[in-house]
């Protein structure tokens, strides 16, 4: 199944190039079209809301027609959304820009749901590493995407469009290309309705304490909430402090690289040490990033790079851990629906967080936003510790009861 993972990673790499549009150019477009920073987080918020809706759509199609078909549909819908944004910018219609970003968000769901297709192809003990391979594919495209901010802007200008719309033109091409790559995989794996690839046996149990689906969804939602809130306004924050667009693109690329490139390592650690360890590591990294960012010099590109890189590493650990938790907590038959719920939770949390981030920055500054992220990470760290401790205690009590049945009668 190694070849399946590599094809999935290739499609994810190409598709993730298009995601740079909403993540990098969206805030700049909103500020230019509305004349203020309050709406800076709206386009990215629209993308993640669309991603949540797309997760539901793709999950339903997956159960009916196979995982590959669902992912292909997500990419095609996303391309339509990107084209709508380009047209809306030409018409100077910000409402349609937001609508286009919502539709484009369906492709965002396709990019990140592909990680579960990789998990289907392996046994339970290797799911973390399989997820990591596909997320690394996303790193390739996601790092290249922001660096196209300048060149794609030049191309857009030559074609008569706004420079800031260049990345959306890239998305119009990238998403269908990713779908075409998946079509090749679909022909090879035709006949599997549940996943489009062979499902993992799930026979290998984990040696570490497992957590429930509710905890998995919580980890995914909070991790994405923090990351999206910060990145919704970070490019605009840098531009406001006289950083050139090319520098902004490089910094965002490094952030995205830290989000995705270490995923195989995070997956390996989740397979070896347990998902609760990796989720806790992610919370600590977000905490350190928030505290550092609150005191960082906004005029220093190096300082901003370090802060955003740590946020990216925290996101990587949290999402890999949460994703493996989803795969471990439910049976194969329930997994597609649970994956959709997890993506909806991520999209909903981020869809709320991105617009609020613009308001927080407008009234309290970027340092207030990242400090708030630290507080949120503390909450996640505490609740995660409490949940794991409760489950370990429950497992210990159950084992003791099996060893001494009289405990069940006395309640001791």
């Amino acid at each position: 199944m190694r070849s399946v993972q590599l094809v999935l990673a290739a499609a994810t790499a190409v598709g993730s190039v298009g995601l740079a549009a909403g993540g990098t150019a969206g805030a700049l477009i909103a500020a230019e079209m509305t004349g203020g920073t309050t709406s800076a987080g709206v386009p990215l918020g629209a993308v993640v809301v669309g991603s949540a809706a797309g997760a539901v759509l793709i999950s339903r199609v997956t159960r009916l027609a196979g995982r590959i078909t669902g992912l292909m549909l997500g990419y095609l819908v996303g391309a339509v959304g990107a084209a709508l944004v380009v047209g809306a910018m030409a018409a100077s219609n910000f409402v349609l820009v937001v609508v286009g970003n919502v539709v484009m968000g369906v492709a965002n769901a396709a990019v990140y749901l592909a990680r579960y297709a990789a998990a289907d192809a392996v046994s339970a003990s290797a799911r973390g590493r399989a997820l990591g391979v596909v997320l690394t594919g996303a790193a390739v495209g996601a790092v290249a995407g922001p660096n196209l901010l300048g060149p794609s802007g030049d191309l857009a200008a030559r074609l008569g469009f706004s420079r800031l719309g260049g990345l959306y033109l890239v998305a119009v091409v990238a998403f269908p290309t990713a779908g075409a790559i998946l079509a090749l995989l679909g022909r090879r794996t035709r006949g599997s309705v549940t996943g489009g690839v062979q499902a993992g046996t799930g026979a290998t149990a984990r040696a570490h304490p497992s957590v429930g689906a509710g905890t998995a969804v919580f980890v995914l939602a909070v991790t994405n909430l923090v990351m999206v809130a910060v990145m919704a306004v970070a490019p605009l924050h840098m531009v406001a402090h006289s950083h050139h667009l090319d520098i902004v693109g490089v910094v965002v690329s490094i952030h995205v690289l830290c989000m995705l490139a270490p995923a195989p390592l995070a997956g390996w650690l989740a397979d070896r040490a347990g998902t609760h360890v990796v989720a806790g590591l992610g919370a600590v990294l977000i905490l350190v990033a928030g505290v550092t960012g609150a005191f960082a010099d906004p005029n220093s590109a190096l300082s901003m790079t370090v802060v955003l890189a740590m946020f990216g590493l925290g996101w990587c650990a949290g999402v890999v851990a949460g994703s493996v938790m989803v795969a471990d907590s439910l049976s194969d038959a329930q997994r597609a629906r649970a994956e959709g719920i997890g993506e909806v939770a991520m999209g909903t949390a981020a869809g709320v967080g991105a617009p609020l981030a613009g308001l927080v920055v407008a009234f309290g500054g970027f340092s207030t936003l990242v400090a708030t992220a630290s507080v949120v990470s503390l909450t996640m760290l505490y609740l995660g510790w409490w949940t794991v401790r409760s489950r370990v205690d429950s497992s210990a009590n159950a084992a003791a009861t099996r060893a001494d049945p009289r405990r069940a009668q006395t309640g001791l």
Side-chain angles (χ1 to χ4, degrees):
M1 287 302 170
R2 184 69 176 177
S3 61
V4 171
Q5 295 178 35
L6 293 177
V7 174
L8 286 168
T12 302
V14 175
S16 60
V17 171
L19 297 185
T24 303
L28 303 176
I29 291 171
E32 180 182 86
M33 295 185 72
T34 64
T37 61
T38 303
S39 62
V42 173
L44 184 54
V47 169
V48 293
V49 168
S51 180
V56 175
L57 172 65
I58 293 171
S59 296
R60 289 181 177 177
V61 173
T62 293
R63 295 195 297 271
L64 295 173
R67 191 182 294 280
I68 300 304
T69 301
L71 297 177
M72 289 172 59
L73 176 63
Y75 280 127
L76 293 178
V77 173
V80 173
L84 179 59
V85 172
V86 174
M89 292 182 66
S92 300
N93 190 323
F94 183 64
V95 173
L96 284 181
V97 167
V98 175
V99 172
N101 276 282
V102 171
V103 177
M104 195 182 76
V106 179
N108 186 78
V111 167
Y112 289 105
L113 280 172
R115 69 190 189 272
Y116 292 112
D120 281 347
V122 297
S123 63
S125 61
R127 284 175 181 150
R129 283 163 287 177
L131 286 163
V133 169
V134 174
L135 287 176
T136 300
V140 175
V143 169
N147 282 298
L148 296 176
L149 182 62
S152 67
D154 294 338
L155 175 62
R158 284 196 292 270
L159 294 175
F161 297 103
S162 168
R163 284 180 55 84
L164 293 178
L167 286 181
Y168 286 92
L169 290 175
V170 172
V172 170
V173 176
F175 292 152
T177 303
I181 295 173
L182 287 176
L184 298 176
L185 181 59
R187 283 197 289 270
R188 290 180 51 194
T189 57
R190 186 175 300 161
S192 175
V193 174
T194 58
V197 294
Q198 295 294 325
T201 63
T204 305
R206 288 186 177 272
H208 308 286
S210 62
V211 297
T215 301
V217 171
F218 175 80
V219 170
L220 290 171
V222 173
T223 300
N224 208 44
L225 167 66
V226 172
M227 189 279 295
V228 172
V230 172
M231 289 311 299
V233 295
L236 183 62
H237 176 68
M238 293 188 67
V239 170
H241 286 84
S242 302
H243 294 285
H244 192 272
L245 282 180
D246 290 337
I247 297 298
V248 174
V250 171
V251 173
V252 172
S253 294
I254 293 173
H255 162 77
V256 175
L257 182 66
C258 291
M259 284 176 57
L260 301 170
L265 177 60
W268 175 84
L269 184 59
D271 291 336
R272 288 288 186 269
T275 53
H276 58 293
V277 172
V278 180
L281 175 61
V284 170
L285 287 167
I286 292 172
L287 171 64
V288 174
V291 172
T292 303
F295 297 98
D297 179 7
N299 297 306
S300 169
L302 178 60
S303 296
M304 291 300 300
T305 300
V306 171
V307 170
L308 297 183
M310 285 192 291
F311 272 113
L313 292 172
W315 184 91
C316 178
V319 168
V320 168
S323 300
V324 179
M325 288 176 186
V326 170
D328 283 350
S329 62
L330 296 167
S331 66
D332 290 345
Q334 298 171 310
R335 194 172 300 145
R337 185 168 182 266
E339 293 160 4
I341 293 173
E343 295 301 301
V344 168
M346 292 177 70
T348 301
V352 172
L356 287 179
L359 295 174
V360 171
V361 171
F363 293 102
F366 188 77
S367 60
T368 300
L369 177 64
V370 293
T372 302
S374 293
V375 175
V376 173
S377 71
L378 283 174
T379 303
M380 182 172 67
L381 196 61
Y382 172 76
L383 290 179
W385 169 81
W386 183 84
T387 299
V388 171
R389 188 190 68 171
S390 298
R391 289 185 175 275
V392 171
D393 290 345
S394 297
S395 298
N397 290 335
T401 299
R402 288 192 297 271
D404 185 5
R406 289 175 300 174
R407 289 173 59 94
Q409 299 174 353
T410 62
L412 299 177

